[in-house]
Amino acid sequence: VVGNMDGDAGLELAVGATDKNLYAYNADGSVLAGFPRAYEGVISGTPSLGDPDRDGRAELVFGDQSKRVRAVDLGPGTFNATLMPWPTMHRDFLRRGSVSNSLVSVGPGGVSGRVGLAFALSPNPTRGAVRIAISRAIDVAAADPDAPVGIRLYTVAGRLARTLTLPATRGPDAVLVWDGRDDAGHLTSAGLYFVQATWGRASARARLVRLP
């Protein structure tokens, strides 16, 4: 799994192993402080990274062959939903498996961070307005500081329902709100929508469900 586990702006990777250890690494390949951690059974499944108890602290949740489910608390302020591009098996809890928003830039200096975006839709599912929070890596923001933010929402038939823009936005984070209406001002119908976010040259996709 890939996501922020120490409260900084970077991403880390966590993986279980057949030697009964849970490993975690920083983006530069160094070992994350406090890891590896040894357990009683082989960790053959993929851990999940999230905040199941909603206390603002990220947890790594996994099972091992000692027939236990474990949750490793990663500390205060470590959970940031916009910095969790691949928090569970098949990428996210909808099992979409897309790598479009977890790419990294590799050059002479090694891994330099995410090229794409991470964004969260809240609430999802929804009956009303939706808050769209977008985050990009700090190094990417610095390289393209005045890039506009664009959101496009499509129906399952591929029809463009709504376009939202936020011009010349600086910094690594942005927030837009969709009021549930299409470009003509009509309230959209219940169903599944595909959301595409672009910020300069970076893009990401997600699914949104509108309830009746």
Side-chain angles (χ1 to χ4, degrees):
V1 295
V2 177
N4 183 263
M5 301 182 209
D6 56 8
D8 63 9
L11 298 179
E12 290 78 41
L13 179 146
V15 60
T18 56
D19 63 0
K20 304 180 183 180
N21 282 316
L22 180 67
Y23 294 91
Y25 300 95
N26 296 300
D28 62 3
S30 61
V31 177
L32 184 66
F35 290 87
R37 301 187 181 201
Y39 293 92
E40 298 173 19
V42 168
I43 306 171
S44 57
T46 303
S48 288
L49 181 61
D51 183 18
D53 55 2
R54 299 185 180 183
D55 63 353
R57 302 160 70 106
E59 284 88 28
L60 271 169
V61 181
F62 62 97
D64 62 33
Q65 291 187 7
S66 68
K67 300 182 180 179
R68 290 177 171 86
V69 175
R70 305 181 185 274
V72 179
D73 190 311
L74 297 175
T78 52
F79 181 72
N80 184 340
T82 63
L83 291 177
M84 297 289 175
W86 199 290
T88 190
M89 186 178 183
H90 298 307
R91 180 190 157 203
D92 58 23
F93 297 103
L94 296 178
R95 302 294 189 260
R96 287 174 289 193
S98 169
V99 297
S100 62
N101 69 348
S102 59
L103 299 176
V104 295
S105 175
V106 180
V111 178
S112 62
R114 288 178 296 114
V115 173
L117 303 179
F119 72 108
L121 309 171
S122 179
N124 185 19
T126 182
R127 288 187 173 89
V130 178
R131 182 179 185 270
I132 306 171
I134 309 173
S135 179
R136 57 180 178 170
I138 293 175
D139 56 339
V140 177
D144 200 6
D146 296 314
V149 180
I151 298 290
R152 290 175 177 261
L153 295 102
Y154 296 88
T155 67
V156 291
R159 181 181 66 84
L160 178 62
R162 183 66 183 270
T163 301
L164 303 172
T165 58
L166 191 62
T169 301
R170 289 180 171 270
D173 303 297
V175 175
L176 296 89
V177 175
W178 180 43
D179 59 6
R181 298 182 181 275
D182 62 18
D183 283 330
H186 303 130
L187 194 65
T188 55
S189 59
L192 175 65
Y193 290 81
F194 296 96
V195 185
Q196 180 175 5
T198 58
W199 196 342
R201 293 166 292 180
S203 66
R205 292 179 293 276
R207 298 181 187 185
L208 173 68
V209 176
R210 279 189 57 79
L211 300 174

